[in-house]
């Protein structure tokens, strides 16, 4: 077997910079898609929006007669989760999460950022219809939005602060993936599940044998997606599984490993198309004075907002602080506790995955109220974090100048 080429430090920095640039652009496109969805859904042609979103397309075979909105949720988001799987695999094998001492802080912070929001949501909305699954809505952090806000407002923060946020968001996404796989698998088709496992095993075998042709990988990916969907597991899990099975070490003679090449090719499609189209069909809620009042007076949406805004801050910052004080982890070089507090607030931008979990866990009017809560909390977290990050960025700029 050919031995892998060691990863160059400059290559890691270049990849991370590219990731930030892509996600920043994707965050802006995502924001535009959300605005279009809200304006369109509340305009005189709002019925057209809902007709398109609810239009069924596809064969009944393998349960593929889905609405346009469901194709965006189950199909396009699989691309997003495939990119997340690639990023997670790279971080675990050769990135920041591969070193226990460096990985400890974002991992502990991410765990706190999932447990505390979930506990707050459960305690506030206990007994409300749908809370048995809706408690998971505030556990997510949106990578695109979070990194976009950080890149725009925290330019003078140490690079280790950006690495902390990226690692934390990746671990957070892993937690959300596990929640989706466990919580939203009501039934399981053994035959379809077996086909998915065979397809995944073949994908892993081809990666091991260094096969590179897309003529084998693309059909395999489609078969895996259809089999996972037909098995009763949420189809986005297929994307994660394929990403985690992709090789991240470059062999001699290879400029980049397959995971890096695929990430480079698919990330613009994920950030610039797949996620914004999902947001276009997921964020189109009808807004009125009465509905906004309900968000602030009904326990379930209130629990979601408090979970995202208060729970993320308390969970990420509190667990990170304890991890450092107990010497489980080290604080990143050059990063101060006020920086981590600002990043913890930024973790309250749930958006994409929170909207996905909302659609999976609730029905009817409760869905609309929960989506409004996610959008309001994410917007508030973005603005508050931006203000904190601008202040921290200026403080670091003055410190560097001195």
């Amino acid at each position: 077997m050919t031995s892998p080429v060691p990863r160059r430090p400059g290559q890691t920095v270049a990849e991370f910079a590219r990731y930030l640039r892509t996600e920043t652009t994707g965050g802006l496109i995502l924001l535009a898609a959300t605005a279009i969805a809200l304006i369109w859904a509340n305009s005189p042609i709002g019925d057209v929006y809902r007709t398109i979103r609810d239009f069924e397309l596809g064969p009944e075979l393998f349960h593929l007669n889905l609405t346009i909105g469901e194709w965006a949720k189950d199909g396009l988001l699989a691309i997003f989760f495939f990119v997340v799987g690639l990023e997670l695999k790279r971080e675990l094998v050769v990135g920041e999460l591969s070193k226990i001492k460096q990985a400890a802080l974002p991992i502990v912070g991410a765990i706190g950022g999932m447990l505390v929001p979930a506990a707050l949501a459960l305690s506030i909305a206990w007994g409300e219809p749908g809370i048995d699954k809706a408690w998971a809505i505030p556990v997510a952090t949106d990578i695109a939005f979070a990194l976009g806000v950080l890149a725009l407002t925290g330019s003078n923060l140490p690079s280790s602060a950006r690495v902390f946020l990226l690692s934390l968001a990746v671990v957070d996404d892993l937690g959300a993936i596990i929640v989706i796989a466990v919580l939203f698998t009501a039934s399981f088709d053994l035959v379809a599940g077996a086909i998915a496992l065979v397809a995944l095993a073949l994908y892993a075998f081809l990666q091991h044998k260094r096969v590179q042709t897309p003529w084998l990988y693309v059909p395999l990916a489609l078969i895996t997606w259809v089999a996972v969907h037909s098995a009763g597991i949420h189809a986005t899990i297929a994307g994660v599984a394929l990403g985690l099975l992709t090789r991240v070490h470059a062999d001699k003679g290879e400029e980049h490993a397959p995971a890096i090449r695929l990430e480079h090719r698919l990330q613009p499609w994920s950030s610039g198309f797949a996620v914004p189209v999902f947001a276009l069909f997921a964020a189109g809620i009808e807004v009125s004075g009465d509905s906004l009042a309900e968000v602030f007076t009904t326990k379930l949406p209130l629990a979601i907002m408090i979970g995202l805004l208060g729970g993320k801050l308390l969970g990420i910052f509190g667990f990170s602080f304890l991890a450092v004080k107990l010497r489980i982890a080290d604080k990143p070089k050059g990063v101060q506790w006020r920086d981590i507090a600002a990043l913890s607030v930024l973790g309250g931008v749930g958006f994409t995955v929170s909207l996905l979990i909302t659609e999976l866990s609730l029905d009817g009017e409760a869905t609309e109220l929960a989506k409004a809560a996610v959008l309001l909390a994410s917007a508030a977290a973005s603005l508050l974090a931006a203000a904190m990050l601008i202040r921290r960025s200026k403080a670091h700029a003055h410190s560097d100048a001195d």
Side-chain angles (χ1 to χ4, degrees):
M1 184 180 294
T2 309
S3 59
V5 174
R7 189 188 187 91
R8 299 189 304 274
Q11 183 181 345
T12 304
V13 173
E15 286 166 10
F16 183 68
R18 177 185 59 76
Y19 189 89
L20 279 175
R21 286 195 299 272
T22 305
E23 293 300 336
T24 301
T25 305
L28 294 174
I29 297 172
L30 183 57
L31 186 61
T34 304
I36 292 169
L38 287 168
I39 294 168
W40 190 3
N42 292 278
S43 71
I45 55 171
D47 288 341
V48 176
Y49 170 85
R50 286 176 280 278
T51 300
I52 295 173
R53 182 193 61 192
D54 299 334
F55 180 76
E56 282 196 2
L57 185 69
E60 291 190 18
L61 185 67
F62 304 124
H63 312 290
L64 294 177
N65 53 328
L66 306 174
T67 65
I68 298 292
E70 288 170 336
W71 275 111
K73 177 178 68 179
D74 294 355
L76 290 179
L77 275 194
I79 299 172
F80 165 75
F81 276 100
F82 178 62
V83 174
V84 168
L86 292 172
E87 180 63 25
L88 178 60
K89 175 72 175 284
R90 185 159 63 83
E91 287 295 315
L92 288 170
V93 177
V94 296
E96 294 301 319
L97 298 180
S98 64
K99 302 163 188 171
I100 301 228
K101 199 69 175 174
Q102 291 181 341
L105 192 65
I107 289 174
V108 172
I111 291 171
M114 290 183 281
L115 291 179
V116 176
L120 278 175
L122 276 169
S123 62
I124 293 168
W126 184 260
E128 292 292 303
I131 191 58
D132 57 320
K133 292 181 178 179
W135 60 263
I137 294 172
V139 305
T141 294
D142 190 287
I143 292 179
F145 255 140
L147 288 178
V149 172
L150 178 62
L152 290 170
T153 60
S155 57
N156 292 314
L157 262 69
S159 59
S160 53
R162 294 173 172 81
V163 173
F164 171 78
L165 179 64
L166 175 61
S167 303
L168 183 140
V170 168
V171 176
D172 192 286
D173 274 345
L174 175 62
I177 289 159
I178 293 170
V179 167
I180 291 169
V182 173
L183 204 60
F184 301 105
T185 302
S187 58
F188 185 75
D189 187 307
L190 287 174
V191 175
I195 292 171
L197 286 175
V198 170
L200 288 169
L202 184 54
Y203 181 93
F205 176 77
L206 293 173
Q207 283 287 300
H208 178 69
K209 291 298 182 179
R210 277 33 180 188
V211 176
Q212 294 187 10
T213 174
W215 295 105
L216 287 175
Y217 286 119
V218 173
L220 261 182
L222 291 173
I223 290 169
T224 304
W225 182 88
V226 172
V228 170
H229 174 76
S230 300
I233 304 170
H234 195 264
T236 53
I237 302 301
V240 178
L242 290 167
L244 289 173
L245 291 173
T246 305
R247 184 164 54 89
V248 294
H249 281 297
D251 291 335
K252 285 183 178 178
E254 278 188 318
E255 186 177 357
H256 297 294
I260 306 302
R261 292 198 303 270
L262 284 168
E263 203 178 329
H264 178 75
R265 291 173 185 171
L266 292 178
Q267 205 168 56
W269 289 100
S270 170
S271 300
F273 179 73
V275 175
V277 170
F278 164 73
L280 180 65
F281 291 110
I285 58 174
E286 294 183 62
V287 179
S288 65
D290 291 339
S291 63
L292 285 176
E294 275 194 82
V295 172
F296 292 96
T297 56
T298 307
K299 283 186 178 180
L300 186 56
L302 197 58
I304 292 168
M305 286 194 294
I306 292 173
L308 283 171
L309 286 171
K312 284 290 184 181
L313 171 60
L314 291 172
I316 297 172
F317 185 84
F319 274 56
S320 298
F321 185 81
L322 284 174
V324 172
K325 291 302 177 184
L326 295 174
R327 298 184 180 180
I328 297 171
D330 292 333
K331 187 155 61 72
K333 186 178 180 181
V335 174
Q336 300 178 15
W337 285 116
R338 290 181 183 179
D339 302 327
I340 292 179
L343 296 174
S344 301
V345 173
L346 192 52
V349 182
F351 208 82
T352 305
V353 182
S354 289
L355 287 175
L356 172 61
I357 296 175
T358 299
E359 293 207 337
L360 294 174
S361 59
L362 297 169
D363 295 306
E365 186 184 358
T367 306
E368 300 296 298
L369 291 175
K371 284 183 180 180
V374 169
L375 294 176
L376 287 169
S378 297
S382 298
L383 294 172
L384 181 57
M388 295 173 72
L389 287 167
I390 289 171
R391 186 168 182 177
R392 294 306 306 151
S393 186
K394 288 179 179 178
H396 280 282
H398 288 314
S399 176
D400 293 342
D402 293 339

